[in-house]
Amino acid sequence: MEDNIISNWLKENGDPSIQKTTEINLAIAIRINAILQEKGLKAVDLANKLQKNQSEVSKWLTGMHTFTTKTLAKISLVLIIDKRTETLIILRRPRNK
């Protein structure tokens, strides 16, 4: 029920940019989770590589955390996907295998 109250409030009073930010954060979290899975890693492995608490990284991976560019840069450095640019392609969809 609480989700409905929050959803209704956002629809009536919310800022569209907040909704968009939430969508982007969720897309980033989904992509990072997919990359972890592709690499056979878990959230705890990412936490260890970033020298962060597992609970903090788990929070990030729910999609309810607003990523800073610094955090994304750090994640990018430990989960490099595109070797040519040494960056994490956050919003690229995984290739079908």
Side-chain angles (χ1 to χ4, degrees):
M1 174 132 180
E2 186 174 320
D3 287 337
N4 291 335
I5 293 169
I6 293 169
S7 295
N8 291 338
W9 184 88
L10 283 172
K11 286 178 187 174
E12 293 172 13
N13 305 302
D15 180 344
S17 66
I18 293 172
Q19 179 64 32
K20 191 62 171 173
T21 300
T22 302
E23 290 171 10
I24 291 169
N25 289 329
L26 185 56
I28 291 169
I30 289 169
R31 181 64 183 128
I32 292 170
N33 276 303
I35 292 166
L36 289 173
Q37 188 174 10
E38 289 169 14
K39 292 182 167 280
L41 299 172
K42 298 182 185 290
V44 66
D45 300 315
L46 181 58
N48 289 336
K49 288 176 180 277
L50 295 171
Q51 298 178 337
K52 295 286 186 182
N53 291 325
Q54 182 180 354
S55 61
E56 183 176 0
V57 172
S58 293
K59 179 182 164 186
W60 296 349
L61 298 179
T62 64
M64 296 297 125
H65 173 80
T66 301
F67 291 95
T68 64
T69 53
K70 184 176 181 179
T71 298
L72 291 173
K74 287 179 178 182
I75 293 170
S76 182
L77 290 172
V78 299
L79 295 180
I80 293 173
I81 294 301
D82 189 333
K83 297 290 185 194
R84 293 167 293 155
T85 60
E86 294 188 354
T87 59
L88 177 64
I89 310 298
I90 295 287
L91 296 177
R92 182 180 67 193
R93 292 190 179 160
R95 293 182 207 132
N96 292 334
K97 294 181 181 179

